[in-house]
Amino acid sequence: MAYSDKVIDHYQNPKNVGTLDKGKKNVGTGLVGAPECGDVMRLQIEVDEATGVISDAKFKTFGCGSAIASSSLATEWLKGKSVDQALAIDNMDIVEELNLPPVKIHCSVLAEDAIKAAINDYRVKNGLEALNLEESKH
Amino acid sequence: MDNNATTPCDPRVVETMLPYFTEKFGNAASRSHPFGWVAEEAVDYAREQVAKLINANPKEIIFTSGATEADNLALKGIFEMYASKGNHIITCTTEHKAVLDTCKHLERQGAEITYLNVKADGLVDLQELEAAITDKTILISIMYGNNEIGVIQPIREISEIAKKHGVLFFTDATQAVGKIPVDVIADGIDLMAFSAHKMYGPKGVGALYVRRKNPRVKVTAQMDGGGHERGMRSGTMNVPGIVGFGKACELCMNEMADEAARLSKMRDRLEEGLKQVEESYVNGSVEHRLPHVCNISFKYVEGEGLMMGFNKNIALSSGSACTSASLEPSYVLKALGLGDDLAHSSLRFGLGRFTTDEQIDYTINAITETVNKLREMSPLWEMFKEGIDLDTIEWAHH
């Protein structure tokens, strides 16, 4: 099975690899997946408290090329979006953008879960209720 | 570097095969004209070449379409032929799927199968093996060399146990024949499956060795038809394939000793180079191992992601789930007691006749660089470096 050019590009030149200070109040961290399953994603957002816009996003991922590309793409999409807009990112958008084959759809699901987990972490830190997110689809 | 999956045909093999596609196209079963005689002669000669490599009598070689068919014929054929004696077969958990899936099939037909666990080094426990034998046991099926980790089972000790209890011994020797000396007499093997394309011969041809003396072993045919191969495997002979198989065996016979010495040196250099990578682990016994194989886990990096870093230039395979449709990591590595995380992080190396020292250097460098790069983006590596015990984290299993 060959990878799409976009997956290869994200793999070779991943965007926004790194770590944000999870101690900060305006940073939300989402850690999803499990080592035994072969993929773990950690996705972080930093929210501009004045505007509610995501000013920075970082990821680190243990996984296959498609998992790395899904999280790299997710951080790109998150930057500049409001938290509410970020919630609307759907895993199928990632599948479409990266041309993921069916066996790799779970990578995109994991990325969507990571986004939502990061947003919830941010909400809880800021005295908001955690959103009751629909159970992950895998 | 993926020669355990398949090997290229040696050009000398191809050259030998070519006439049998065109001017010598006869059916080896045609007895009435020279076309058939020429083909039959070629098959007879190849049968001798194949038999010689494993110290068998040519009459004991049944040509098949490959090792999978030979595995099926041995297991199903023995189960049916010896049904009056018993229905119990002993095998182990790290066998190839061609054996395991056939055993699963036989279970549905009323067979009782014991799947022995292996020790942490991948070897079967001989005491456990002997203890598993019952008065219903008809066959022990233990592979010669493992396809994922290269571990060589104690074949002679196993065959002695089998003999002592009057049980037949079958071995899938697909990875071993042509790589290390395999001698069906000295090793005490009653049935043995092997394949041409793992030893620089063509795909689509293999053999089952079936002992004719002490004891005389019989298998029930699984392919009925014209009564070819002494009735045990009907179907028109794959003459060019068999000729190529014969030539491949002859080449292995002549070159195996030198080749094994050369490859094990290269393999050891590769392994030493990669062991310099922090948190890397060699899987399976290093003492009882095929000379051209090694299997290494690079912790905190996922195998498929790792291969993507160099798969345009280096062909390898991984025990990671992501490479298979099943999403289950290597059952062989898990049988050694490896956690799923280490199984996901493994690469399998199978060196071959055409592997060069330059390729070894290139591979060490490419893998080291890619592991380092991926660890920079691995959250697990970051946690490990911060001293966080990953086992204490509640992971969201999915």
Side-chain angles (χ1 to χ4, degrees):
Chain A
M1 177 181 61
Y3 298 96
S4 72
D5 290 345
K6 281 180 181 163
V7 169
I8 293 171
D9 187 49
H10 275 286
Y11 174 85
Q12 285 172 343
N13 308 294
K15 310 297 185 307
N16 310 309
V17 174
T19 308
L20 298 170
D21 179 0
K22 63 174 181 237
K24 280 166 79 174
K25 194 166 156 263
N26 64 333
V27 169
T29 302
L31 181 67
V32 297
E36 298 79 46
C37 304
D39 34 31
V40 175
M41 277 182 200
R42 190 193 62 199
L43 199 142
Q44 294 181 297
I45 53 168
E46 183 163 356
V47 181
D48 182 325
E49 283 169 295
T51 60
V53 167
I54 296 170
S55 56
D56 201 2
K58 297 275 186 209
F59 84 94
K60 280 200 176 186
T61 289
F62 160 85
C64 65
S66 303
I68 290 168
S70 296
S71 36
S72 170
L73 176 68
T75 56
E76 275 197 307
W77 280 356
L78 285 170
K79 283 208 253 183
K81 281 199 166 66
S82 73
V83 173
D84 283 347
Q85 284 169 333
L87 273 175
I89 294 175
D90 186 77
N91 81 289
M92 287 315 287
D93 301 337
I94 296 172
V95 171
E96 209 169 295
E97 173 67 18
L98 295 176
N99 226 338
L100 296 180
V103 63
K104 295 296 182 190
I105 287 176
H106 71 278
C107 298
S108 70
V109 174
L110 207 58
E112 186 189 318
D113 288 353
I115 293 171
K116 294 191 165 145
I119 291 172
N120 257 345
D121 183 52
Y122 167 77
R123 286 178 64 91
V124 170
K125 269 181 169 175
N126 288 276
L128 296 165
E129 227 175 283
L131 297 168
N132 187 14
L133 301 168
E134 114 190 59
E135 281 293 302
S136 64
K137 298 157 214 164
H138 42 244
Chain B
M1 296 277 164
D2 201 15
N3 283 279
N4 287 17
T6 193
T7 55
C9 246
D10 190 298
R12 294 168 289 181
V13 168
V14 177
E15 203 187 326
T16 314
M17 290 170 70
L18 285 175
Y20 294 90
F21 288 103
T22 50
E23 71 260 34
K24 299 179 181 175
F25 65 90
N27 185 331
S30 299
R31 298 274 155 80
S32 52
H33 50 67
F35 294 104
W37 303 335
V38 167
E40 191 188 14
E41 229 169 75
V43 168
D44 286 346
Y45 184 63
R47 205 186 295 278
E48 280 172 31
Q49 289 170 310
V50 172
K52 199 173 165 198
L53 178 63
I54 60 167
N55 195 23
N57 183 305
K59 287 183 182 154
E60 297 174 315
I61 302 297
I62 311 293
F63 286 118
T64 65
S65 63
T68 293
E69 188 195 330
D71 286 332
N72 271 265
L73 177 56
L75 291 160
K76 294 175 183 171
I78 290 292
F79 177 70
E80 289 180 25
M81 183 61 75
Y82 295 85
S84 61
K85 188 175 174 255
N87 67 341
H88 180 226
I89 295 173
I90 300 169
T91 185
C92 78
T93 51
T94 53
E95 290 289 313
H96 192 272
K97 287 287 181 190
V99 168
L100 293 177
D101 287 354
T102 306
C103 285
K104 290 266 176 299
H105 173 91
L106 290 177
E107 276 179 312
R108 292 192 294 271
Q109 312 286 318
E112 268 190 55
I113 313 279
T114 299
Y115 301 92
L116 295 172
N117 288 318
V118 295
K119 298 180 282 186
D121 59 6
L123 296 172
V124 294
D125 184 320
L126 294 169
Q127 284 176 338
E128 255 179 60
L129 171 74
E130 188 159 15
I133 296 173
T134 71
D135 56 356
K136 292 276 177 219
T137 309
I138 50 172
L139 185 70
I140 294 171
S141 168
I142 300 287
M143 72 199 322
Y144 211 114
N146 185 271
N147 48 307
E148 286 193 39
I149 51 178
V151 163
I152 300 171
Q153 296 293 352
I155 294 298
R156 291 188 186 184
E157 288 83 348
I158 294 170
S159 71
E160 272 168 31
I161 291 171
K163 212 169 192 57
K164 189 171 130 192
H165 293 272
V167 174
L168 294 174
F169 174 45
F170 162 62
T171 185
D172 175 344
T174 308
Q175 297 288 348
V177 173
K179 314 293 171 56
I180 56 171
V182 171
D183 180 326
V184 290
I185 305 285
D187 291 343
I189 294 164
D190 296 316
L191 302 110
M192 181 170 80
F194 54 115
S195 178
H197 79 103
K198 307 282 192 194
M199 52 165 117
Y200 313 96
K203 292 168 183 60
V205 58
L208 180 67
Y209 158 79
V210 183
R211 182 179 279 276
R212 269 168 72 90
K213 264 199 303 202
N214 305 317
R216 185 184 178 90
V217 180
K218 280 179 156 183
V219 292
T220 304
Q222 302 299 312
M223 191 74 83
D224 298 312
H228 306 75
E229 298 298 84
R230 295 189 291 119
M232 286 192 256
R233 202 279 189 178
S234 289
T236 299
M237 311 295 294
N238 170 6
V239 178
I242 289 167
V243 165
F245 190 12
K247 182 68 181 176
C249 287
E250 182 192 295
L251 294 175
C252 287
M253 183 91 200
N254 297 335
E255 298 171 12
M256 187 164 60
D258 289 346
E259 196 166 282
R262 189 173 66 85
L263 292 184
S264 77
K265 226 164 132 186
M266 277 205 251
R267 188 270 317 269
D268 292 347
R269 201 162 67 77
L270 175 72
E271 196 162 276
E272 274 314 305
L274 291 174
K275 272 160 70 180
Q276 304 304 313
V277 175
E278 210 181 331
E279 291 293 309
S280 61
Y281 301 91
V282 175
N283 298 316
S285 169
V286 293
E287 190 189 339
H288 305 283
R289 188 164 57 154
L290 294 169
H292 59 291
V293 182
C294 75
N295 189 305
I296 306 182
S297 289
F298 301 92
K299 220 173 171 185
Y300 312 114
V301 172
E302 192 273 331
E304 188 189 344
L306 179 53
M307 287 193 294
M308 197 175 162
F310 41 75
N311 62 6
K312 277 198 178 137
N313 301 316
I314 309 172
L316 281 176
S317 73
S318 167
S320 170
C322 279
T323 51
S324 65
S326 69
L327 296 181
E328 275 292 314
S330 158
Y331 67 92
V332 172
L333 295 178
K334 287 178 74 174
L336 305 188
L338 258 72
D340 283 6
D341 51 340
L342 270 177
H344 279 296
S345 301
S346 69
L347 293 182
R348 172 184 80 169
F349 302 86
L351 277 51
R353 185 172 289 169
F354 305 105
T355 307
T356 64
D357 276 313
E358 289 72 30
Q359 289 171 341
I360 298 290
D361 290 329
Y362 183 88
T363 303
I364 294 171
N365 287 332
I367 290 177
T368 305
E369 268 174 35
T370 313
V371 168
N372 290 336
K373 182 186 157 190
L374 291 181
R375 281 181 176 169
E376 282 309 306
M377 54 172 124
S378 166
L380 305 180
W381 180 250
E382 188 183 294
M383 291 175 197
F384 166 69
K385 282 286 161 187
E386 285 171 355
I388 297 170
D389 182 357
L390 295 176
D391 293 336
T392 62
I393 294 176
E394 256 187 58
W395 299 103
H397 290 260
H398 58 287

